[in-house]
């Protein structure tokens, strides 16, 4: 094995760390910007709600397929490509691929083709998949191992800042400083998107060049054998094939042209059933793997651990609910009962949703600085207020109306109380936040107006710490399988590709509508609460004290 290069002081690589956290920023900026891009494309290209959700489908599907291909190569060859290339080079390759995706977006915009834009977003996210796999361990290499978590947390905070300003910048790119009416949107065109992605693509290449030519940086490259797991690979392979068949069938139904309302209604119902079947395939595959590995763990690799398999489903659900709440939010806000906002006016709400995740992540990072118990109790309420002010400030600078968001501070105070009750214990905090998220969704469903809008926005507050909490609980006790288990968890970002289109299709049904489609997030939060309770017992039976062995959120 080639030894991994390390750096004694992170200050020696402050420039590289700055470049690295910029990569974290890209992930959040592009993903959150899709929240504004979705309703714009729906109107501009005359799409239904499901078709508009194909933006998220293409984006998050790329994460899954990228991680799956890397895992398949490692499982079949016994060699991990990321480790052989090195973390630094893997990030470089990922940035270049994302730049290629930006170029495809520019070509698609000039050709005025929605499918071409989907291809461009897919390519951008495929590069992100490679970057994300390598960036976290690379951050650890940029300084003493003991402070590695601090650098990763810094990246997460910058990522959240990207999610907060992404919708604002994309809205300015699409609409400029104007407050165009919906009828004027078509005349605005997509020209400024070309400028946006030209700038983004140039930044991708600049970051790649900085990494490539910084020869003093640790490469993170070493040769090591990877344990083969043919049963896990087979299960995931079959699941992927079945999903491909289902979604090809779904997309083919859009070639049917008819004015017969009864036929159209049947087609819509068929599409809905197919989408739900896809969800059943994913859940069924993971549960089958869980019970099969329980009988005989040979050949399953990391998937022989129940906390990992249930954690995969939890990551799938978490990413799905985080994305679907905001992806359908734009359509909800245009309804008279929820403000009747123009498409040009929804960006502040999308920004506040993603800003809510920033609020939670900044608050969850307080313990890293090891404040006293008294100071921590104070900071739990001060830090979220500061983060809230930052989000409002960004919107004010963009000349957006922030008055409708002023009283959202009440929801942020409620989240601070939830943090205090969680006591930095991952399972306890996950349970509290999942139940709170479920309560918010139910409140939004059974109310209208500002109360409902704030309730749905609060989903971001209670999603904020779920990734690290689920991740920590899912890989606890995996030992030598930790790396492979982490790769499986990254694959389950697939939830962002599957769950939003399901909600979008349900919202297209007259019997359901956009408001009642938010029952989907309710069910997602319910599973996350069950996982928080169930994983506690699973780890205890393995002799793991999850409260003391796992370091909070």
């Amino acid at each position: 094995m080639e030894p991994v290069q390390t750096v004694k002081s992170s200050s020696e690589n402050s420039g590289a760390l700055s470049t690295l956290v910029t990569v974290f920023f890209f992930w959040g900026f592009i993903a959150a910007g899709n929240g504004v891009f979705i309703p714009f494309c729906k109107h501009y290209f005359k799409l239904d709600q499901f078709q508009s959700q194909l933006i998220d489908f293409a984006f998050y599907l790329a994460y899954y397929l990228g991680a799956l291909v890397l895992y398949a190569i490692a499982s079949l060859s016994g060699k991990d490509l990321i480790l052989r290339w090195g973390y630094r080079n893997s990030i470089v390759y990922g940035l270049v691929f994302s730049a290629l995706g930006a170029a495809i977006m520019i070509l698609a915009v000039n050709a005025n083709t929605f499918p071409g834009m989907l291809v461009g977003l897919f390519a951008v996210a495929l590069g992100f998949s490679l970057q994300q796999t390598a960036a976290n361990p690379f951050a650890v290499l940029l300084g003493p191992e003991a402070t590695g978590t601090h650098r990763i947390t810094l990246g997460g905070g910058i990522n959240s800042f990207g999610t907060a300003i992404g919708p604002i910048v994309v809205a300015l790119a699409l609409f400029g400083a104007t407050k165009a009416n919906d009828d004027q949107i078509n005349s605005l065109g997509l020209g400024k998107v070309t400028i946006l992605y030209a700038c983004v693509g140039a930044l991708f290449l600049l970051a790649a060049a900085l990494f490539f030519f910084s020869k003093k940086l640790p490469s993170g490259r070493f040769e090591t054998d990877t344990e083969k797991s043919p049963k896990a690979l087979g299960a995931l392979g079959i699941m992927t094939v079945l999903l491909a068949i289902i979604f090809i069938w779904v997309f083919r139904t859009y070639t049917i042209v008819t004015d017969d309302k009864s036929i159209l209604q049947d087609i819509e119902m068929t599409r809905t059933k197919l989408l739900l079947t896809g969800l059943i395939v994913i859940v069924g595959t993971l549960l089958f793997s869980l019970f099969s590995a329980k009988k005989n763990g040979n050949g399953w690799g990391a998937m022989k651990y129940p906390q990992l398999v249930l954690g995969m489903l939890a990551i799938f659900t978490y990413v799905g609910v985080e994305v679907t709440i905001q992806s359908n939010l734009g359509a909800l806000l245009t309804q008279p009962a929820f403000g009747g906002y123009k498409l040009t006016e929804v960006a502040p709400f999308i920004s506040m949703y993603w800003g809510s995740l920033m609020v939670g992540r900044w608050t969850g990072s307080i313990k890293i600085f090891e404040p006293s118990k008294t100071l921590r109790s104070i900071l739990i309420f001060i830090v979220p207020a500061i983060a809230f002010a930052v989000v409002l400030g960004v919107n004010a600078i963009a000349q957006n109306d922030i008055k409708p968001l002023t009283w959202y501070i009440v929801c942020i105070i409620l989240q601070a109380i939830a943090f205090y009750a969680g006591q930095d214990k991952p399972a306890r905090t996950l349970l509290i936040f999942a139940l709170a998220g479920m309560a918010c969704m139910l409140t939004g469903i059974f109310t209208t107006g500002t109360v409902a809008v704030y309730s749905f926005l609060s989903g971001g507050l209670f999603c904020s710490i779920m990734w690290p909490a689920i991740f920590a609980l899912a890989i606890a006790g995996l030992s030598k399988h930790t790396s492979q288990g982490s790769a499986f968890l990254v694959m389950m970002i697939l939830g962002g590709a599957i769950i939003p289109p399901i909600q979008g299709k349900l919202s297209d049904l007259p019997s359901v509508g956009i408001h009642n489609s938010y029952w989907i997030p309710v069910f997602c939060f319910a599973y996350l609460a069950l996982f928080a309770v169930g994983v506690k017992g699973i780890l205890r039976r393995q002799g793991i004290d999850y409260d003391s062995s796992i370091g909070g959120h």
Side-chain angles (χ1 to χ4, degrees):
M1 178 187 296
E2 180 185 330
V4 181
Q5 296 171 281
T6 57
V7 179
K8 293 182 179 181
S9 173
S10 57
S11 62
E12 296 175 12
N13 284 297
S14 57
L17 184 59
S18 299
T19 304
L20 182 60
V21 297
T22 302
V23 175
F24 281 78
F25 174 86
F26 287 148
W27 305 336
F29 178 89
I30 299 296
N34 288 345
V36 175
F37 205 49
I38 286 171
F40 174 86
C41 287
K42 178 183 178 181
H43 184 91
Y44 186 86
F45 290 105
K46 311 301 181 188
L47 309 173
D48 63 24
Q49 189 63 12
F50 167 76
Q51 289 171 314
S52 70
Q53 297 303 307
L54 294 179
I55 290 175
D56 275 337
F57 178 80
F59 191 80
Y60 291 99
L61 179 66
Y63 273 94
Y64 171 72
L65 291 180
L68 179 64
V69 169
L70 289 172
Y71 160 66
I73 293 173
S75 182
L76 293 172
S77 68
K79 302 293 183 182
D80 190 320
L81 284 182
I82 298 294
L83 297 181
R84 295 188 69 183
W85 291 339
Y87 296 134
R88 185 184 66 189
N89 286 342
S90 295
I91 293 174
V92 171
Y93 300 154
L95 285 165
V96 171
F97 207 95
S98 291
L100 175 62
I104 295 173
M105 275 291 290
I106 293 171
L107 293 174
V109 166
N110 289 330
N112 207 43
T113 167
F114 181 64
M117 293 181 188
L118 296 181
V119 173
L121 282 171
F122 180 87
V124 169
L126 203 58
F128 284 0
S129 177
L130 183 54
Q131 294 166 41
Q132 190 156 334
T133 303
N136 287 341
F138 189 74
V140 175
L141 292 181
L142 291 180
E145 185 176 357
T147 58
T149 302
H150 295 206
R151 292 186 291 280
I152 294 175
T153 301
L154 173 63
I158 298 299
N159 174 273
S160 296
F161 183 64
T163 64
I165 71 170
I168 304 300
V169 175
V170 172
L172 289 173
L174 292 173
F175 311 121
T178 66
K179 298 296 181 184
N181 295 319
D182 289 351
D183 293 338
Q184 296 174 301
I185 289 178
N186 286 335
S187 63
L188 291 175
L190 292 166
K192 290 187 178 180
V193 178
T194 299
I195 299 174
L196 173 66
Y197 273 91
C199 293
V200 169
L203 289 174
F204 287 150
L205 292 176
L206 176 61
L210 289 174
F211 274 103
F212 183 77
F213 290 109
S214 298
K215 297 301 183 181
K216 292 183 180 181
L217 295 180
S219 67
R221 180 192 297 119
F222 57 93
E223 297 286 345
T224 184
D225 293 331
T226 301
E227 179 180 343
K228 296 183 178 181
S229 48
K231 292 181 180 178
L233 179 61
L236 292 172
I238 293 173
M239 182 183 80
T240 303
V241 171
L242 291 175
L243 288 176
I245 293 172
I246 289 169
F247 278 95
I248 288 173
W249 194 354
V250 169
F251 298 146
R252 285 189 64 184
T253 62
Y254 283 97
T255 63
I256 300 174
V257 179
T258 179
D259 294 326
D260 191 318
K261 292 185 178 179
S262 62
I263 294 178
L264 289 174
Q265 188 174 5
D266 289 341
I267 292 173
E268 291 298 320
M269 188 57 64
T270 298
R271 293 169 184 161
T272 304
K273 290 178 180 178
L274 287 170
L275 290 169
L276 292 175
T277 300
L279 179 62
I280 292 171
V281 165
I282 295 169
V283 175
T285 299
L286 292 177
L287 293 180
F288 169 79
S289 301
L290 175 68
F291 292 117
S292 296
K294 188 175 180 180
K295 294 179 181 178
N296 183 0
N298 293 332
W300 285 102
M303 288 181 72
K304 68 183 177 182
Y305 293 92
Q307 65 266 35
L308 187 277
V309 178
L310 294 176
M312 290 170 67
L313 185 54
I315 288 290
F316 174 88
T317 306
Y318 149 70
V319 176
V321 71
E322 178 185 274
V323 175
T324 198
I325 291 173
Q326 67 87 32
S327 292
N328 291 282
L329 192 60
L332 182 79
L333 291 170
T334 60
Q335 302 298 310
F338 302 93
Y341 295 97
K342 295 181 292 185
L343 292 181
T344 54
E345 298 173 330
V346 303
F349 295 94
I350 303 297
S351 173
M352 182 54 70
Y353 175 80
W354 288 110
S356 296
L357 276 88
M358 183 179 77
V359 169
R361 288 169 183 168
W362 284 17
T363 307
S365 300
I366 292 173
K367 67 183 182 66
I368 292 175
F369 303 99
E370 300 180 354
S372 65
K373 186 175 181 180
T374 301
L375 180 58
R376 179 183 176 278
S377 298
I378 296 173
L379 290 176
I380 277 180
F381 291 92
I382 293 178
V383 170
I386 294 173
F388 177 59
V390 169
V391 179
L392 290 182
V394 169
N395 279 278
I397 292 172
Q399 299 183 343
N400 290 320
D401 184 11
I402 61 175
K403 290 181 180 178
L405 298 171
T406 305
W407 286 101
Y408 188 63
I409 188 66
V410 175
C411 301
I412 291 175
I413 292 173
L414 293 176
Q415 188 211 39
I417 295 172
F419 262 113
Y420 188 83
Q423 299 178 3
D424 285 337
K425 298 177 181 178
R428 181 189 179 100
T429 302
L430 180 60
L431 176 60
I432 291 173
F433 274 55
L435 292 175
M438 195 166 131
C440 288
M441 295 303 105
L442 288 171
T443 301
I445 289 171
F446 290 109
T447 60
T448 56
T450 301
V451 172
V453 172
Y454 279 12
S455 296
F456 291 133
L457 287 178
S458 295
L461 291 172
F462 297 109
C463 281
S464 59
I465 53 82
M466 286 187 170
W467 174 279
I470 295 169
F471 214 96
L473 293 163
I475 64 174
L478 265 59
S479 187
K480 67 178 182 178
H481 295 97
T482 298
S483 178
Q484 188 182 84
S486 298
F488 286 145
L489 292 172
V490 171
M491 284 183 205
M492 289 299 103
I493 291 177
L494 175 68
I498 302 297
I499 293 178
I502 290 177
Q503 183 177 350
K505 180 52 26 193
L506 288 177
S507 72
D508 285 332
L509 298 177
S511 59
V512 179
I514 187 65
H515 191 192
N516 286 322
S517 72
Y518 273 84
W519 277 102
I520 293 295
V522 173
F523 297 137
C524 291
F525 280 121
Y527 173 73
L528 292 168
L530 288 174
F531 172 75
V533 174
V535 74
K536 204 169 165 182
I538 290 172
L539 294 177
R540 186 183 295 116
R541 286 191 293 272
Q542 295 177 13
I544 300 173
D545 182 352
Y546 67 94
D547 281 345
S548 61
S549 298
I550 306 169
H553 44 260

